[in-house]
Amino acid sequence: MNDFYKDILIGAIFVIGLLGFISGEFIISSALFATAAIASNVRVNSKRLKAGQFSWD
């Protein structure tokens, strides 16, 4: 799966979470927001690690 499809998937999860929040499904939307945030952060950190920009400072 390339980066474009991963971006689309993370964006779709975020939008579905937003729609769930609007409709009142707060538990489901919270889980979807958390999933989108964690997936996005893992992806960004793995790119930094591959590029050699990761530091513990």
Side-chain angles (χ1 to χ4, degrees), residues 35-52:
T35 302
I38 290 170
S40 178
N41 286 330
V42 166
R43 195 166 150 256
V44 168
N45 288 335
S46 68
K47 281 186 177 180
R48 285 184 187 165
L49 185 61
K50 287 179 185 176

Side-chain angles (χ1 to χ4, degrees), residues 1-10:
M1 184 182 290
N2 62 19
D3 289 340
F4 179 71
Y5 291 122
K6 288 179 184 177
D7 287 339
I8 295 295
L9 181 64
I10 292 171

Side-chain angles (χ1 to χ4, degrees), residues 16-39:
I16 292 169
L18 187 63
L19 292 174
F21 182 79
I22 291 171
S23 68
E25 297 292 332
F26 300 116
I27 296 172
I28 294 171
S29 65
S30 296
L32 289 171
F33 283 136
T35 302
I38 290 170

